[in-house]
Amino acid sequence: MSDYRISHIAALEAEAIFIFREVAATCQRPVLLFSGGKDSIVMLHLAQKAFAPAPIPFPVMHVDTGQNFAEVIDYRDRRVAEAGVQLIVASVQDAIDRGMVTEPPDGTRNRIQTPVLLEAAEKYQFDALFGGARRDEEKARAKERVFSFRDDFGQWDPKNQRPELWNLYNGRVHPGEQIRVFPLSNWTELDVWRYIGSEDIPLPEVYFSAEREVVDRGGMLYAVNEFIKPREGEETFFEKVRYRTVGDANLTAGVRSDATTIDEIIAEVEVTRITERGATRGDDKTSEAAMEDRKREGYF
Amino acid sequence: MTDTLTSREDTHELLRFATAGSVDDGKSTLIGRLLFDSKALFDDQWDAVEAVSAGRGDEYTDLALLTDGLRSEREQGITIDVAYRYFSTPERKFIIADTPGHIQYTRNMVTGASTADLALILVDARKGLVEQSRRHAFLCSLLRVPHMVLCVNKMDLVDYDEAVFKRIENEFSAFATKLEVPDLTVIPVSALKGDNVVNRSENMPWFQGPSLLHHLEKVHIASDRNLVDVRFPVQHVIRPHSSDNHDFRGYAGQVASGVMKPGDEVMVLPSGFTSRIASIETADGPLEEAFPPLSVTVRLEDELDVSRGDMLCRPGNQARVSQDIEAMVCWMDEARPLKLRGKYAVKHTTSDVRAIVKDVQYQLDINTLHRDETATELGLNEIGRVTLRTTKPLLCDDYRRNRSTGGFIIIDEADNRTVGAGIIV
Ligand SMILES: Nc1nc2c(ncn2[C@@H]2O[C@H](COP(=O)(O)OP(=O)(O)OP(=O)(O)O)[C@@H](O)[C@H]2O)c(=O)[nH]1
Ligand SMILES: [Mg+2]
């Protein structure tokens, strides 16, 4: 301590806490997007640390596709109750029932989350939405500001972003516009796992390896569940898998792994040769610019 | 207590660096090469880039695609906005900001350079210094990026000729003496072929210096921080309204500079009241000392009126309290120039004020560093010295002394865009 140095992870934590406080102090109605995935779990943890011993001064929101891992939803409800924050659920199923969005024929609800998110933001007049996205995840995210401006239609314009100098974040918006705020911008997947390990943050069991019944689709192993049933001609088999990311239960594949503790996961992530999205997400595969296109429309 | 911060594994030092230089000088290719040769790429990232390059009929895999990830960037073959990449070696952790060279996107280069410890300025060996190389070098020195590396790139296209390298090195050094560049290193490279990027080049035996990566791993950055002047801009007041913590009142913020300890006498600016630090709190428990870049919550021994935008410092070492601000301004708005008597919003540390432009003293010619004192406005990408009068005092220092309390941004009040960057002189 005598040379006044701190670890890289401690510096990332300090930066994230600064960002949380900056938004709470300058924006009118912030909200934290919380899905029960590991990045949003880390976000909730950081938000608690930023305002301790006071409670988190904003609600959390889950844009619920209805295609969740049941255990992740249990975890979500438990964590939210513990943290004493208000949970808002924006339901995609409900939006489908109301005819606000139409379910695509392939049953993936990733893209139709966006209008549901934007509708909820408008209804509650949120002007700042915290997301757990990281720049190391994907090449379009690598280009995004920490405070990322969205127009009245929730759109991102990657060719015309606000300059962002030092740590002077510009969160000013007119009514109807928003800022998406990404406190984990500078974290890598490994940083997130190491932080979870060093802070002893509990995670849903899907993140740890277990024998799961899976089907192989294009080299990706999908666990059989409520949303993934073997199709004609598909064989199921048992394999030890864990999840590196947790998105919709019908889109997220597991990776072969023996890791049953955080330390074992960290050891695996340290030597992995594939990005987490590359290894696990069916939703990014559509085209080279899939993420950029979705972000332009207002996706996280 | 304090141990939790140091005992976390991975106490690697972090180096943030940004690329700079004119369009097509090879910045993105260099970053791609650096990542590739240091094996910092994931297989699927490489596969995707290889496939795009092959699909376009490139002769070789275009390494720039690793950072040029936007659709328009790939269509136009240029970088438009900063890409951030992360990698580490056994020596250090790195955050790379690969910035655009095109003059239209200078503001994005400034974004990337503002937080950099080191700037990597590229020059095409065939072209030598061009206006944009000078502009970027000037901006890096204005932003006081403490370390600079000039990479003379595309050495493969000039037969790895030492004379070409020397000529550019001399030309740049001459320009740099007119700027404030505390630490300059010059390296001949070929981003495309990999010479002197990660591995020392066999093609340039006349060059005795380190490879770029070696230099990035070794350059001494620990003393760049200001641990002398205590500056703690208050971000947020924490007052839990719960029975357990009824009397808790803490001032949350990130230490901008200096070292604070419980018991230290502090002065609150702008009010000038003094008190002592009762404790320095974090969610992990109290700390014995706080220093940059820690985010903490400070409690004082006395009940004072302290709010966001105020600053804690030491009574014998105070920030300047002033409504008349002299600054170098880099203008970044294409829609409207900065105008004499123009009114703007200003964000400085944690404080938001309004300001009027009282004087445009001069506009600077980037090539000659000549001062045009007849200027009355600053257009897009122009740099000049201005005097501002603010509605409330800024609690500030000269930027050269303190990067955190010496910089501000200028915001257009009508459309909320960030239109200028200011450096207090
Ligand atoms: N022969 C040769 N070509 C190079 C070298 N470095 C880059 N190039 C080529 O120069 C062109 C421009 O490279 P980029 O890396 O996109 O240049 P840039 O500086 O990032 O350009 P902007 O970001 O748009 O300012 C590409 O065609 C590269 O293949 C080099 O060392 N040798
Ligand atoms: Mg480029």
Side-chain angles (χ1 to χ4, degrees), chain B residues 326-338:
Chain B
E326 294 282 314
M328 295 298 293
V329 166
C330 170
W331 196 248
M332 305 188 289
D333 188 29
E334 57 235 316
R336 287 175 289 272
L338 170 135

Side-chain angles (χ1 to χ4, degrees), chain A residues 1 3-11 13-15 17-19 21-22 24-26 48-55 57 135-136 139-140 142-145 156 158-170 172-174 177 185-188 191 194-195 198-199 244 272-275 277-279 287-289 292-293 296, chain B residues 2 5-6 8 10-11 13-14 16 39 41-45 48 52 67 69-74 76 79-84 86 93 105 107-108 110-111 114-115 143 225 227 235-236 238 240 245 248 252-254 259 283-284 289 291 293-297 308 332 345 347 349 352 399 407-409 411 414 416-418 421-422:
Chain A
M1 196 44 84
D3 63 351
Y4 303 112
R5 279 205 239 173
I6 57 172
S7 74
H8 174 67
I9 298 277
E13 180 189 68
E15 178 182 69
I17 287 176
F18 174 84
I19 293 165
R21 289 170 170 175
E22 204 58 10
T26 60
Q48 282 186 293
K49 290 185 87 165
F51 302 102
R135 287 172 175 156
D136 83 323
K139 60 188 183 309
K143 295 270 163 182
E144 197 158 11
R145 301 281 188 259
W156 181 52
K159 285 185 73 172
N160 198 15
Q161 301 194 79
R162 289 179 177 176
E164 189 163 86
L165 284 97
W166 304 291
N167 60 357
L168 297 177
Y169 300 112
N170 176 357
R172 288 175 183 242
V173 291
H174 289 303
E177 301 166 343
S185 286
N186 290 322
W187 298 48
T188 64
D191 294 329
R194 287 195 177 138
Y195 187 70
S198 69
E199 295 284 294
R244 267 172 89 182
T272 183
R273 301 293 320 146
I274 316 249
T275 64
R277 289 197 160 251
S287 91
E288 254 302 291
E292 181 181 341
D293 293 343
R296 280 171 180 276
Chain B
T2 46
L5 291 167
T6 38
R8 290 180 197 173
D10 189 27
T11 49
E13 210 169 20
L14 172 68
R16 288 175 178 252
K39 306 196 170 48
L41 289 175
F42 291 101
D43 294 346
D44 55 319
Q45 289 174 330
V52 170
T67 52
L70 297 176
R71 201 190 275 282
S72 336
E73 291 180 325
R74 292 179 169 198
Q76 299 172 42
T79 304
I80 291 173
D81 210 331
V82 198
Y84 292 92
Y86 304 81
K93 287 233 166 207
Y105 305 115
R107 56 173 175 262
N108 298 334
V110 171
T111 293
S114 69
T115 51
L143 291 164
R225 279 181 311 164
L227 294 172
Q235 244 192 314
H236 185 72
I238 294 186
N245 292 297
F248 190 99
Q254 187 168 26
V259 178
D284 299 314
E289 44 193 4
F291 47 89
L294 290 175
S295 283
V296 298
T297 301
R308 177 178 167 85
M332 305 188 289
K347 182 164 186 184
T349 66
D352 283 286
Y399 185 83
F408 60 88
I409 56 170
I411 298 167
N416 292 324
R417 284 184 57 84
T418 305

